[in-house]
Amino acid sequence: MSHNKPVTLDELLSDVSSVPSLPLLYSRLDETINHPRSSIADIAKVLSEDQGLAARILKLANSPLFGYFSKIDTVTQAVTIIGIQQVRDLALAISVIGVFKGLPKDLVTMECFWRHSIGAALAARVLATSQREANLERFFVAGILHDIGRLLLFMRLPDLCREMIETARNSNQCLHELERQRLGYDHADVGGALLRRWKLPTRVTEPVEYHHRCNHAGQFPRESAILHCADLLAHALELGGSGEERVPPLIPGSWERLTVSPFQLPQIVAQIDNQLEEISKALGGAVT
Amino acid sequence: MAIIPIDLLEAGMILKADVRDRSGRLILPAEAELAEKQIKIFRTWGVTEADILHGPDGTDIEATRENSEIDPVVLAAAEQAVDEIFRLNDVQHPVIKELMRVCLARRLTIVAQ
């Protein structure tokens, strides 16, 4: 892999052996949910097949994200109360965390990476709540997945990534711009392409793909803008990290898409801080 | 004067513009004088800021020195760290400005603990 001839996005994703796939359980869950004759009991049954997943869903359902506080004690109840789509999105977030393993530790630790992702996920959810958006879990899952392309880059091109992180540290350029210069695409493109391969819905793949150029998003510019601002918040609050060490520049017009006054930031930050520990714990078992 | 966040509003300030809640309902009209009770009502209705004409007795509101009680060395170190992580951003943008203020305060509370 010489620097003169960068790996193309297709090449990066075509190597089946190193591109992780989604757990089979998630596709079964998706299939069950989409089947017109499925009942809530069927969905709960699929979820319960993976005890770890079921336990984490219950933990999340009882966390401050939903505010039912330890009243949900069966998976069926969780599906009924939180909603089928929401549970699907949570299951996706939980499954993905377990998928990536064996990364070069000097680039980023998994703990640090997921802390950043969970931080961005919570920030996206809190921002979306303030916008009175429906189906909040899609923001959560987009936040969890937003830097996933970087994991793939770290796995496939560790030396180039190490060099780019070093260059970014000593210059006034941010990492995603460097990636674009060297490779012709950035980690957001890689993430979007990977999620499309996993056949995830556009409402998740597009915000991930455009979180560093949210003004170019065609179908979901609002969602992309929320994700961009959420990423910015997670960086500003120094919650974990994913290689980038500074706050990426705010894209002009992205914050303005949200009707949030800058003076609401203290409350937003307080909400993120309050929820982060508990949510990390609920998702925690998967982060190893 | 300027738009002031709710935490810095004080009784006696005069409003420059109407204060409305999120749905646009009028809560207090322009030129009214604030009292503690009204600031409480603002909070109840989720108002986060108010456009203020001038402070009590016609004084201009000075930029508040909120970090004046903190050890200058600690403060300078925290400010430098926050400036560093925001280096790629336009620090004059209102959102970034407020975010930096929040980050600085957060950093100082973490240090204090």
Side-chain angles (χ1 to χ4, degrees):
Chain A
M1 264 164 264
S2 69
H3 292 180
N4 306 336
K5 198 168 165 286
V7 185
T8 65
L9 191 51
D10 281 341
E11 279 167 13
L12 196 72
L13 286 165
S14 59
D15 185 355
V16 184
S17 60
S18 64
V19 176
S21 52
L22 266 187
L24 203 60
L25 189 81
Y26 178 73
S27 37
R28 293 230 352 249
L29 178 67
D30 199 43
E31 212 172 284
T32 316
I33 288 175
N34 289 335
H35 196 284
R37 299 184 75 120
S38 299
S39 66
I40 289 194
D42 295 330
I43 295 164
K45 207 172 128 204
V46 175
L47 279 173
S48 312
E49 277 171 33
D50 183 340
Q51 289 298 319
L53 179 68
R56 283 185 199 114
I57 294 242
L58 280 181
K59 267 193 202 162
L60 281 181
N62 285 309
S63 74
L65 279 189
F66 297 97
Y68 297 113
F69 300 110
S70 322
K71 288 190 193 118
I72 302 178
D73 37 37
T74 65
V75 177
T76 322
Q77 230 179 353
V79 179
T80 319
I81 295 177
I82 304 176
I84 295 172
Q85 306 301 335
Q86 318 284 76
V87 164
R88 184 212 330 238
D89 283 345
L90 288 182
L92 174 59
I94 296 167
S95 323
V96 169
I97 292 183
V99 160
F100 284 87
K101 292 204 169 79
L103 261 108
K105 284 227 164 54
D106 58 324
L107 285 169
V108 68
T109 64
M110 287 318 259
E111 217 182 334
C112 197
F113 180 86
W114 290 120
R115 197 174 161 78
H116 171 68
S117 301
I118 294 170
L122 280 174
R125 201 177 184 280
V126 172
L127 284 175
T129 314
S130 74
Q131 301 299 296
R132 311 202 171 169
E133 289 277 351
N135 290 335
L136 292 170
E137 276 8 279
R138 67 198 159 114
F139 293 96
F140 187 77
V141 77
I144 292 276
L145 297 173
H146 79 284
D147 270 349
I148 202 150
R150 198 160 264 158
L151 285 184
L152 204 61
L153 284 176
F154 287 168
M155 269 162 87
R156 297 292 312 274
L157 310 167
D159 297 327
L160 180 64
C161 290
R162 207 168 287 134
E163 187 253 324
M164 285 196 295
I165 291 176
E166 196 59 37
T167 314
R169 190 176 292 151
N170 300 321
S171 71
N172 265 337
Q173 242 181 337
C174 46
L175 197 51
H176 71 91
E177 284 170 359
L178 262 176
E179 289 166 354
R180 194 163 277 283
Q181 262 177 26
R182 298 283 171 84
L183 298 163
Y185 50 85
D186 62 22
H187 65 277
D189 295 313
V190 180
L194 177 64
L195 298 182
R196 269 200 303 276
R197 255 176 87 102
W198 286 350
K199 306 214 175 343
L200 296 184
T202 327
R203 68 194 161 89
V204 176
T205 57
E206 198 181 271
V208 170
E209 187 164 357
Y210 289 94
H211 76 272
H212 284 303
R213 334 169 254 155
C214 54
N215 291 340
H216 297 273
Q219 241 180 311
F220 297 99
R222 253 178 87 77
E223 283 78 358
S224 307
I226 290 181
L227 192 57
H228 170 69
C229 296
D231 183 32
L232 207 103
L233 279 174
H235 276 293
L237 303 179
E238 295 169 274
L239 308 170
S242 63
E244 175 68 79
E245 286 165 5
R246 303 200 197 90
V247 182
L250 181 75
I251 297 171
S254 59
W255 181 269
E256 288 73 14
R257 261 182 207 280
L258 285 69
T259 47
V260 184
S261 149
F263 297 129
Q264 268 169 280
L265 278 169
Q267 286 106 297
I268 290 174
V269 169
Q271 276 185 49
I272 298 171
D273 276 339
N274 284 340
Q275 297 176 352
L276 186 73
E277 290 316 316
E278 197 144 347
I279 303 305
S280 305
K281 242 184 271 162
L283 292 168
V287 192
T288 38
Chain B
M1 257 318 286
I3 294 180
I4 308 283
I6 179 115
D7 291 335
L8 300 179
L9 290 180
E10 283 168 25
M13 287 178 171
I14 310 292
L15 287 181
K16 187 177 175 189
D18 296 348
V19 169
R20 292 171 184 276
D21 76 356
R22 295 174 53 139
S23 49
R25 173 170 41 184
L26 181 66
I27 296 181
L28 199 64
E31 288 168 34
E33 187 181 326
L34 289 185
E36 284 302 332
K37 188 180 162 197
Q38 270 121 18
I39 298 174
K40 199 172 151 196
I41 292 171
F42 288 174
R43 284 187 195 278
T44 316
W45 289 104
V47 174
T48 52
E49 62 203 36
D51 199 354
I52 297 296
L53 190 62
H54 57 74
D57 316 319
T59 50
D60 264 7
I61 305 156
E62 288 167 33
T64 37
R65 298 285 306 143
E66 48 181 335
N67 294 323
S68 51
E69 289 158 23
I70 294 156
D71 179 1
V73 182
V74 178
L75 184 63
E79 273 175 343
Q80 201 186 354
V82 172
D83 285 349
E84 170 58 25
I85 61 165
F86 279 94
R87 206 166 85 187
L88 304 174
N89 269 285
D90 170 18
V91 293
Q92 291 307 316
H93 191 289
V95 178
I96 298 296
K97 222 175 181 173
E98 178 69 9
L99 190 55
M100 285 176 79
R101 196 186 66 77
V102 173
C103 286
L104 184 66
R106 187 168 170 275
R107 194 174 264 271
L108 291 170
T109 25
I110 294 170
V111 171
Q113 284 163 5

